[in-house]
C-alpha cells in the first residue's frame, strides 16, 4: 500500500466565472443595503488612466461594467500621457475631496 503522504494531491477545478458572479451578487446586495441605510451616500469609483494603453482600457471597461452591475457610480478620467506629476496629484486631490 502506498503512503498517503506520497500520493499526489487531487486538483480542484474552480469556475472563475461562477465565483465572479457570486461575488458580484454579494457586493450588489451589500451596496444596496448600505445605500438603504445611508440614502445620501452614493458609492463611486473613479479610474484615472494616464495614456492610452489598450490593455488598461480593457481593464477599465471591465471595472465600469462591474460597477454598473453592483450599483456603484463609475467615472473614467482619461489624462494625456504628458501630464506632469503635480497636475496628476491635483486631479487625485480634487477627486478625493469631492463631497459626492
Amino acid at each position: 500500500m502506498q503512503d498517503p503522504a506520497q500520493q499526489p494531491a487531487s486538483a480542484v477545478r474552480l469556475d472563475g466565472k461562477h465565483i465572479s458572479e457570486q461575488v458580484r451578487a454579494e457586493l450588489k446586495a451589500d451596496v444596496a443595503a448600505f445605500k438603504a441605510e445611508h440614502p445620501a451616500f452614493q458609492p463611486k469609483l473613479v479610474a484615472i488612466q494616464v495614456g492610452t494603453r489598450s490593455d488598461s482600457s480593457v481593464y477599465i471597461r471591465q471595472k465600469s461594467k462591474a460597477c454598473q452591475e453592483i450599483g456603484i457610480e463609475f467615472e473614467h478620467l482619461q489624462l494625456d500621457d504628458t501630464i506632469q506629476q503635480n497636475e496628476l496629484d491635483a486631479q487625485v486631490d480634487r477627486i478625493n475631496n469631492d463631497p459626492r
Side-chain angles (χ1 to χ4, degrees):
M1 180 168 201
Q2 193 176 29
D3 180 3
Q6 294 182 0
Q7 291 180 352
S10 61
V12 176
R13 176 175 270 171
L14 298 177
D15 183 348
K17 183 175 181 179
H18 178 70
I19 292 170
S20 174
E21 288 170 352
Q22 285 181 317
V23 168
R24 286 187 183 179
E26 290 174 17
L27 287 171
K28 183 176 184 175
D30 290 347
V31 168
F34 192 86
K35 286 165 76 172
E37 290 179 31
H38 308 278
F41 180 74
Q42 174 58 44
K44 180 178 183 178
L45 174 66
V46 179
I48 302 173
Q49 182 179 11
V50 177
T52 57
R53 285 184 47 168
S54 62
D55 56 339
S56 293
S57 296
V58 169
Y59 178 81
I60 290 169
R61 278 194 304 274
Q62 291 170 339
K63 297 306 115 190
S64 175
K65 180 181 174 189
C67 285
Q68 183 179 14
E69 289 177 14
I70 65 173
I72 294 177
E73 184 181 348
F74 180 82
E75 179 183 341
H76 177 197
L77 180 59
Q78 176 74 46
L79 302 173
D80 192 73
D81 61 359
T82 60
I83 190 168
Q84 298 297 309
Q85 185 65 48
N86 63 331
E87 295 171 313
L88 177 58
D89 292 345
Q91 289 287 350
V92 171
D93 288 342
R94 179 187 61 78
I95 292 164
N96 284 336
N97 293 314
D98 185 348
R100 293 180 286 138

